[in-house]
Amino acid sequence: MGALTDYFRAVDAASVVETLGRADGGSPLGAGPPVFDGVETKHVDPTVVLAMLIAAIRQVQWRVDLVEQVTVWPTSPVPGPDGPEDEDDPWVTGPWVSELDPLVRDTLAAVHDSEVPTIVARWVQAEELHGARAEDMQPVAAEIVLLARRALGADERLYCWMCL
């Protein structure tokens, strides 16, 4: 089982929460016209796979805190140290939405189109992308870069919607 991940841009977390509340947490890029400008991806979670793209861009080693993020959905209180009391708790079932640090947006937006193939060649060497081909991942990286440029140009933040 893999994670579905959608990256999108929005003015602020409040507008994201309001939109998700109307859609019962469903993807803002899902059925019907998308509410936000975004990119549908699969298995490109922000903590590992997107962070590996950021590491490839910056030419640094991946580390767990490379992509800083703040959870904005679910909005219910975070379960205590013993975990959630109910298996239907949204912290267990998802979906989850996080706001990415603006530095992530800026790093992606600064990538020149001509650099994408070289960056992707480094990115697909990651163990977590084992079997991924550069020619398949290049359009994904290019779309994320373009989304980041649009977000930067509009002074918006990047968000990741994820579910299992």
Side-chain angles (χ1 to χ4, degrees), residues 21-50:
R22 288 193 312 261
D24 292 328
S27 172
L29 306 181
V35 178
F36 297 110
D37 174 24
V39 176
E40 293 181 1
T41 65
K42 292 182 182 177
H43 319 298
V44 182
D45 70 283
T47 304
V48 178
V49 181
L50 182 69

Side-chain angles (χ1 to χ4, degrees), residues 97-161:
V97 176
S98 58
E99 178 179 285
L100 306 181
D101 184 290
L103 186 55
V104 171
R105 175 202 60 200
D106 298 350
T107 296
L108 291 163
V111 171
H112 295 276
D113 294 339
S114 63
E115 298 172 311
V116 172
T118 303
I119 290 166
V120 170
R122 285 193 299 264
W123 186 34
V124 298
Q125 298 305 310
E127 182 178 329
E128 288 75 7
L129 289 171
H130 177 72
R133 299 176 330 152
E135 55 267 17
D136 295 333
M137 297 305 291
Q138 189 168 327
V140 174
E143 285 186 59
I144 293 171
V145 164
L146 291 172
L147 176 66
R149 287 181 195 160
R150 294 190 300 270
L152 181 62
D155 195 27
E156 293 178 330
R157 297 288 185 109
L158 287 180
Y159 293 85
C160 179
W161 175 92

